[in-house]
Amino acid sequence: MKNRLPCELIRDLLPSYIENLTSDVTNNLIEEHLDTCEECKRVHDSMREPLEKSEDIEELQEIDFLKTARKKTRKIIFGISLAVVVIVTALVIAKEYFVGTQISSEYVACYVDVKENTLELSGRIVDEKLDISKVQFQEDDGVVTISFQSVHNSPFYDNEFEEKYIASDKITEVKMDDRIIWYQGKYISTITSSVYSTRHPYVGDMSENGRTVTALDMVGKFGNFTNDLQTNEEPYGWKLIFEDSVPEEQRTEAKEELKAYAYVMLAVIDNLDWVSYEYTTEGETCELIVTSEDAAEFAGQDIKNVGKDVAALQELMEKVGLAK
């Protein structure tokens, strides 16, 4: 062929051709020559083979690197996850058995002795599965609030405690959470504190009335009832109509207990002037009305003043037999 390039020239161009450095025209001439020249084709293939192997090796090395990187990443992730689990577990154990969490005062039975600015506290946690890990005191203008932290039974703590606190001012009131346990020299029972916290100005507010009834546990004693409020004009009143019948043998006792509840309700609801009950005994409909005057005569003072003073309310609750 006239245009056939010499083998020497082709072989000189092969390195550049293999590296893709030659032009398209040169590439066509080289490829035409390789199609017809076995010797140059052999030289080309021998030159090409190390490059392909090198590329394969680089590719394999890259794959191995990625695999190794993935393995390392998985190990790192596993290690971090394991560390997180260990740390969280340790924190939970520390919190449950060493540090403790805040516990409601209803789980704590205690006795307080107050002299001027000194408070001595002793008691125990009523749940046998728990121990007291910390007793905290917070003081605000003569009011000392006590809170407790508990842990699961631990060899480091006990379910009984004794603490002494020196206040900066004379102590006038002691509370556990929101519950008043001591006021002006008077121990305040749980039920008295609960009832006192339901004080409200208007008998027309039935949701607040319900809180008072719940604190007194009237439903637990006498069962469900319906309400009839007289709030159109004074004197304002509240009639409770009980669904359950009172047994004949409990008639007298029930009457006295209903009076007791009425005295307390008249004390803590500011504008309540009378309480009326309707119930049945042996098919007979009975009605009982208790007025503010009746309650004041029983308490020996204005019944509304009793409701404003938790210590006076405690005395009333004790007198009617409701304080526990």
Side-chain angles (χ1 to χ4, degrees):
M1 294 177 62
K2 287 184 178 181
N3 295 327
R4 189 173 186 274
L5 295 177
C7 289
E8 291 79 4
L9 179 60
I10 291 296
R11 293 175 187 176
D12 288 341
L13 292 172
L14 280 178
S16 298
Y17 171 74
I18 292 171
E19 294 291 337
N20 295 319
L21 300 177
T22 50
S23 67
D24 291 340
V25 174
T26 302
N27 290 343
N28 290 333
L29 292 172
I30 292 172
E31 289 166 4
E32 288 177 1
H33 183 91
L34 294 175
D35 287 341
T36 60
C37 179
E38 290 295 330
E39 184 62 26
C40 288
K41 179 73 166 59
R42 185 188 62 76
V43 173
H44 167 269
D45 291 344
S46 64
M47 294 175 67
R48 184 80 181 174
E49 185 176 355
L51 178 63
E52 291 176 347
K53 288 183 178 179
S54 175
E55 290 175 348
D56 291 341
I57 292 171
E58 289 179 358
E59 184 177 355
L60 289 172
Q61 288 175 340
E62 183 177 358
I63 292 172
D64 288 342
F65 172 77
L66 292 174
K67 288 181 178 179
T68 302
R70 288 195 197 99
K71 288 181 180 178
K72 288 183 177 179
T73 302
R74 284 197 292 267
K75 288 181 179 179
I76 291 172
I77 293 174
F78 176 77
I80 293 174
S81 300
L82 182 61
V84 169
V85 170
V86 170
I87 291 171
V88 170
T89 302
L91 290 174
V92 170
I93 292 173
K95 186 175 183 181
E96 294 294 326
Y97 291 92
F98 296 96
V99 179
T101 55
Q102 194 86 0
I103 187 172
S104 173
S105 62
E106 66 184 83
Y107 292 101
V108 179
C110 69
Y111 170 78
V112 296
D113 182 28
V114 179
K115 294 178 181 178
E116 296 296 329
N117 68 331
T118 302
L119 166 63
E120 293 186 356
L121 175 73
S122 61
R124 62 185 296 274
I125 190 167
V126 296
D127 190 336
E128 297 295 335
K129 297 179 181 179
L130 300 177
D131 290 336
I132 292 291
S133 61
K134 190 175 184 180
V135 181
Q136 297 173 299
F137 300 90
Q138 184 176 353
E139 181 184 348
D140 183 19
D141 195 23
V143 178
V144 177
T145 301
I146 309 167
S147 59
F148 303 89
Q149 285 185 260
S150 69
V151 295
H152 289 290
N153 290 143
S154 165
F156 303 99
Y157 301 105
D158 196 355
N159 67 347
E160 297 183 351
F161 57 88
E162 288 187 5
E163 298 286 340
K164 185 175 183 179
Y165 177 74
I166 308 297
S168 58
D169 297 313
K170 181 179 179 180
I171 300 173
T172 59
E173 183 178 334
V174 180
K175 301 170 66 178
M176 288 200 310
D177 299 333
D178 294 329
R179 171 190 158 197
I180 302 171
I181 61 173
W182 184 92
Y183 180 77
Q184 299 285 12
K186 185 76 174 176
Y187 172 78
I188 308 301
S189 67
T190 301
I191 186 172
T192 299
S193 181
S194 297
V195 171
Y196 183 75
S197 70
T198 71
R199 287 186 63 240
H200 56 285
Y202 308 113
V203 68
D205 189 341
M206 198 59 227
S207 63
E208 290 298 311
N209 295 343
R211 290 181 61 234
T212 301
V213 167
T214 299
L216 288 168
D217 192 26
M218 289 184 66
V219 173
K221 182 64 178 180
F222 288 97
N224 295 325
F225 56 86
T226 56
N227 301 283
D228 183 10
L229 300 180
Q230 165 30 45
T231 56
N232 295 327
E233 59 182 9
E234 296 185 283
Y236 300 131
W238 180 7
K239 184 175 184 179
L240 293 79
I241 306 168
F242 290 100
E243 299 175 2
D244 297 339
S245 178
V246 175
E248 174 63 32
E249 63 273 14
Q250 297 178 12
R251 181 198 290 254
T252 302
E253 179 185 351
K255 183 177 179 180
E256 293 305 312
E257 288 178 341
L258 290 172
K259 282 183 181 180
Y261 286 126
Y263 295 153
V264 177
M265 292 156 65
L266 288 162
V268 298
I269 303 176
D270 291 348
N271 74 336
L272 180 61
D273 295 309
W274 56 264
V275 175
S276 172
Y277 301 107
E278 183 179 303
Y279 55 95
T280 60
T281 300
E282 297 294 326
E284 176 189 353
T285 300
C286 304
E287 188 169 11
L288 173 64
I289 299 176
V290 182
T291 66
S292 293
E293 290 76 16
D294 297 330
E297 182 179 354
F298 178 84
Q301 60 175 306
D302 187 335
I303 196 64
K304 301 305 177 183
N305 290 335
V306 172
K308 296 174 184 177
D309 185 325
V310 68
L313 183 61
Q314 174 66 26
E315 291 179 0
L316 175 63
M317 295 284 284
E318 291 173 358
K319 193 172 181 179
V320 297
L322 291 176
K324 300 175 183 177

